[in-house]
Amino acid sequence: MSSSATTSPVSLLDIPELPLKLICSYVGFKSLQSLRLVSKPLCHFIDTQKPSVEIDDFTIRINHDSMQLKLTSCGLNSHLLAHVLEKEMLVCSGGRIRGSENKDYLNYAFNAVKFVLNTQTTHTFKRLEYSDEFNPEFSKMFEKFLTDQNIILRVCEFSFEGNEHQALRFLPFLDSNILKRFNFCGGSESISSDDLTKLEHWKKAKHLSINNKVFCVSIQNFSHFETAGFCMHTITAQDLIYLREKYSQSPDFSSAIISYRILEPAAAQVFGEPSWKDKWVFRCYDPNFALIIDFAYQHIRFHRTHISSTTLSVIE
Amino acid sequence: MSVENAPVVDVDEAAIPVEKKMYYRFESNDKKEFRVSELAIQQSETLNRLVEAMGYTSEDVENKPAIAIENIDGKTLKLVFQWCEHHKGEAIPVDDGSVPKIVEIPEFDAKLMDIDNGLLFKLIWAADYLNIVQLLNVSCKKVANMAQGKTPAQLRRVYLLPSDEEDEAAKRAAQEAQDPRAREVEEEFEERKRQGGNSFF
């Protein structure tokens, strides 16, 4: 924090503000908290400058009577667990377990999440996992905090456990330009509205993985993903022709596994006889690539591969 | 110091193209002189602007005095220019705010920065002063890596930081050094207290 341009550094605190902030941003969350305890000037610097540390993974899980926070940054894990018992709340952190008379585990979790977010200005996470399917009270507190603080989370991969309604409420707090992968699971439900697929987050994401949700919407909403795993209620012949066309055209498409409840009879025959090992192989728009389609029990797999890894003659 | 005796930064002659390239001369604050290629200088925004503004010809470079860098010593400047020569021609990274910002330390840089912490802090200071973005990134990353798994007490030792108590003591000493009378007054006060009198009143 040297203010003089001619001061030669003898310790970390003599380094100018910009590089010192850069160093703090590289140390990771856990080490940054240790650095805060080193000295008052360093603590003040960290609290005021709020360097954005790399957070690889932040997991927030809220259950009926417990909460779990896990944060991974620069290879180091921070873990906080609180479990409400009959007479007290057990709190496990940093390898130590202690009892607390205060059993308000939701507030405890909320304050811990607030602490993590308040240490940063950019709120950037490589991966965020969020689940409070069984206790929506936490979501209300969390969403209000994000709204009041005007926070938009910069998350590359978002794993959400809950229902469609909860996902629709939470996704707008994420930067749609940053989100690349959306994993969605939770209680079984049927999704027939376009609300989710209309979101920019859905349209801009590259990777999708959905479990326990059955979609009754147009298959066109899924054709832009590079990798996808989802379940449709019904697959028609037109759906398969459409996907074959889109996936053949896309230079970025890699694979899609689509499960279904009903496969219309015409769909099963739409590609005729299998061309290679019970699979259908088509040449992509890029002649160096092939699109392979194969059926398994209640699943269809589309897979784009280099032409050299298949038998060229089957598509000639 | 004559140019002949100057500690010249090693240059891979085979890597130099046939056309004549300009080598600028720089001098550290302890009068050590360095010859640095035009391309290597481009890694430093500060030096690049400086030499552009000077508009030196090849003759000027030889005949005029070396460009003085008054804030950096020879030991640090040697490391800086070795880094610049090794990474000459490489694109200068732009912080586009993309997430996450990942910095990897190449083998050459790791060896170059295998130095004591005091010199490493000087290297960071120099990279910041000379605005060498990637050198700043890797050197800061190197210092950050030292913090991994350390307790606050260990961090204090690694980063050469005083504790709050030592810091307070140093501040008091500095204040006293500025005002010698303060020490005398304090000693007089302590003496009168020992004598049991409230004799200031």
Side-chain angles (χ1 to χ4, degrees), chain A residues 120-138:
Chain A
Q120 296 206 302
T121 50
T122 59
H123 310 107
T124 301
F125 305 91
K126 248 186 194 175
R127 183 174 178 276
L128 174 67
E129 185 177 328
Y130 184 78
S131 164
D132 75 337
E133 191 176 12
F134 306 109
N135 201 333
E137 279 304 304
F138 182 85

Side-chain angles (χ1 to χ4, degrees), chain A residues 188-204:
Chain A
S188 179
E189 67 178 326
S190 179
I191 296 175
S192 51
S193 83
D194 281 333
D195 293 341
L196 196 58
T197 58
K198 271 190 221 160
L199 289 176
E200 285 299 300
H201 306 77
W202 181 281
K203 290 177 185 168
K204 290 181 178 173

Side-chain angles (χ1 to χ4, degrees), chain B residues 19 22 35 61 69 105 142 182 185:
Chain B
E19 69 263 29
M22 197 135 85
R35 280 174 174 272
V61 168
I69 302 177
I105 302 176
K142 160 94 179 177
V185 169

Side-chain angles (χ1 to χ4, degrees), chain A residues 279-298:
Chain A
K279 295 170 185 169
W280 288 261
V281 184
F282 302 95
R283 193 185 283 275
C284 291
Y285 277 49
D286 178 343
N288 293 317
F289 286 86
L291 183 71
I292 301 174
I293 305 171
D294 61 311
F295 285 73
Y297 176 69
Q298 291 204 314

